[in-house]
């Protein structure tokens, strides 16, 4: 939830820049707990419709509960299943997704298949990321840099490209789509209270079991529990460093 809150402004920026607006019907690939689904619902409103596709039934059920709590369940729904198995006679006004293509065995094939469910003139918008930057602080803060590197190491260990976002243009082309508009943004900070500290801290807490399973050790003096955010902030502030987060890529196109 912390990660979703941190990413929300950029995802919303990409969706609106692509042309998502009131009354549109939306298909979301890999909807998870529904963060992007609910964001899209807030843009298209009750005159629109949003369908999220999520492979895990329990996660989809939790997302439905959130839709009910937020009063949007009349025009938001979730379908359980793989994005590669999705089928529908409906043609949507928009196809969207965040942090989903990079986990597919063949991202271009997945995108090309899902694009068939978008009407001519509709929009396709995907938000992905890049963790490959090794220079994430200046002056260099070893604690921040080495902790940030854990994200990249775990992606590599699981066979997922940490720099996937920078290849979005090629993925669109290989999917048979026109070259997309691509926007790139990155968060930066360093002052006390910066949102970057809980962003990286919560991410490290979440992936701690995966790091342990992969045999990846945290930096000396860094414990991946509730103290990690404070550890990161203390190190960066004492060093007086300017630090960067992951690079966010938004890519969108209109279907011919």
């Amino acid at each position: 939830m912390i990660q979703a809150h941190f990413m929300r402004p950029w995802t919303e920026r990409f969706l609106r820049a692509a042309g998502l607006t009131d009354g549109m019907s939306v298909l979301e690939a890999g909807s998870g707990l529904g963060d992007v689904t609910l964001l899209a619902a807030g843009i298209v409103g009750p005159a629109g419709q949003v369908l999220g596709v999520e492979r895990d039934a329990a996660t989809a059920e939790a997302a439905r509960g959130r839709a009910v709590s937020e009063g949007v369940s009349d025009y938001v729904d979730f379908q359980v299943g793989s994005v590669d198995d999705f089928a529908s006679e409906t043609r949507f006004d928009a196809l969207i997704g965040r942090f989903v293509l990079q986990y597919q065995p063949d991202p271009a094939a997945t995108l090309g298949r899902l694009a068939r469910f978008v009407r001519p003139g509709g929009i396709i918008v995907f938000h992905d990321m890049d963790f490959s930057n090794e220079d994430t602080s200046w002056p260099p803060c070893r604690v921040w840099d080495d902790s940030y590197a854990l994200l990249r190491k775990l992606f590599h260990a699981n066979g997922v490209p940490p720099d996937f976002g920078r290849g979005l243009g090629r993925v669109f082309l290989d999917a048979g789509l026109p070259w997309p508009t691509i926007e790139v943004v990155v968060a930066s900070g360093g002052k006390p209270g910066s949102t970057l500290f809980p962003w990286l801290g919560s991410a490290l807490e979440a992936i701690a079991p995966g790091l342990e399973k992969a045999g990846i050790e945290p930096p000396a003096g860094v414990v991946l529990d509730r103290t990690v955010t404070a550890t990161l902030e203390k190190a960066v502030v004492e060093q007086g460093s300017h630090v960067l987060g992951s690079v966010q890529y938004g890519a969108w196109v209109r279907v011919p």
Side-chain angles (χ1 to χ4, degrees):
M1 297 295 287
I2 292 174
Q3 298 297 307
H5 179 74
F6 185 80
M7 298 295 174
R8 181 185 174 96
W10 295 322
T11 305
E12 181 171 3
R13 177 174 170 173
F14 299 149
L15 293 177
R16 291 189 183 277
L20 194 69
T21 190
D22 185 68
M24 295 179 74
S25 60
V26 182
L27 171 65
E28 184 197 356
S31 52
L33 286 169
D35 295 290
V36 177
T37 324
L38 297 174
L39 170 57
I43 297 174
V44 304
Q49 194 76 28
V50 186
L51 175 64
V53 179
E54 168 55 41
R55 65 182 178 181
D56 183 74
T59 301
E61 189 58 31
R64 288 191 191 99
R66 294 182 68 194
V68 171
S69 296
E70 297 201 15
V72 298
S73 57
D74 286 346
Y75 56 101
V76 172
D77 196 11
F78 297 90
Q79 179 174 316
V80 177
S82 164
V83 294
D84 283 324
D85 295 330
F86 176 76
S88 174
E89 294 183 0
T90 301
R91 292 298 178 267
F92 296 84
D93 297 317
L95 166 65
I96 66 174
R98 181 172 72 186
F99 307 157
V100 60
L101 288 179
Q102 66 192 114
Y103 298 106
Q104 306 306 311
D106 188 337
T110 295
L111 178 56
R113 184 178 181 281
L114 290 173
R116 300 203 304 264
F117 300 107
V118 183
R119 66 168 179 80
I123 60 174
I124 296 175
V125 194
F126 277 85
H127 176 177
D128 276 288
M129 56 190 164
D130 180 354
F131 285 117
S132 64
N133 185 9
E134 297 183 11
D135 300 313
T136 55
S137 67
W138 185 260
C141 177
R142 186 69 179 269
V143 171
W144 179 270
D145 290 342
D146 289 351
S147 297
Y148 182 96
L150 295 175
L151 302 173
R152 182 172 62 251
K153 291 177 180 179
L154 185 59
F155 270 60
H156 277 306
N158 289 321
V160 179
D163 60 349
F164 181 83
R166 68 179 63 185
L168 269 179
R170 184 72 251 180
V171 170
F172 273 62
L173 291 179
D174 290 344
L177 296 166
W179 181 264
T181 298
I182 300 176
E183 187 171 331
V184 184
V185 292
V186 60
S188 65
K191 68 179 181 180
S194 169
T195 57
L196 276 180
F197 302 133
W199 165 74
L200 182 55
S202 65
L204 293 175
E205 281 188 74
I207 67 172
L211 290 169
E212 183 177 2
K213 183 178 180 180
I216 301 171
E217 295 288 336
V222 176
V223 180
L224 303 183
D225 59 16
R226 292 187 178 182
T227 67
V228 67
T229 294
T231 299
L232 294 169
E233 181 167 358
K234 182 175 184 293
V236 170
V237 171
E238 287 182 351
Q239 183 76 29
S241 295
H242 175 211
V243 296
L244 301 178
S246 56
V247 183
Q248 308 299 313
Y249 285 78
W252 60 88
V253 71
R254 284 201 176 270
V255 175

